[in-house]
Amino acid sequence: MTWLLLLLISIQSVLLVAAQVFLKISVQLFGTFSWTISYFKNVFTTWQFAASGLCALSGMIVWMVVLKRFEFSVAYPLLSISYVIG
């Protein structure tokens, strides 16, 4: 069962790091902020922004599985691996 926890935590950490990387890339692509339709169209049509959201959502779902199957006091400290991956 320990191998399953390590696998799930690794997947979740990679997804969270990927979400942050995609978000960083997408924010750089948005350009200078302005309250215009073209700016917000650019925001919501950037595929990196969508990928960031999908990675974050997937990571949250994996985390919910971890919380359901394992003790919080064991699972939560393992999340620190995401700092190493990042």
Side-chain angles (χ1 to χ4, degrees):
M1 206 54 117
T2 305
W3 65 269
L4 180 60
L5 174 61
L6 292 175
L7 177 67
L8 288 173
I9 289 292
S10 297
I11 291 169
Q12 196 257 354
S13 294
V14 167
L15 286 168
L16 289 181
V17 170
Q20 294 299 315
V21 170
F22 279 127
L23 186 60
K24 172 67 174 169
I25 293 169
S26 64
V27 167
Q28 289 176 330
L29 293 174
F30 293 164
T32 305
F33 178 78
S34 64
W35 288 102
T36 61
I37 296 294
S38 63
Y39 176 81
F40 286 100
K41 182 180 176 186
N42 187 28
V43 168
F44 292 112
T45 57
T46 304
W47 72 266
Q48 291 91 343
F49 188 63
S52 174
L54 288 174
C55 287
L57 178 65
S58 300
M60 183 177 62
I61 291 169
V62 172
W63 181 241
M64 288 171 28
V65 170
V66 168
L67 289 178
K68 184 173 177 89
R69 292 180 164 227
F70 302 99
E71 290 293 320
F72 184 76
S73 62
V74 174
Y76 191 73
L78 292 176
L79 279 181
S80 61
I81 192 71
S82 63
Y83 293 109
V84 175
I85 295 170

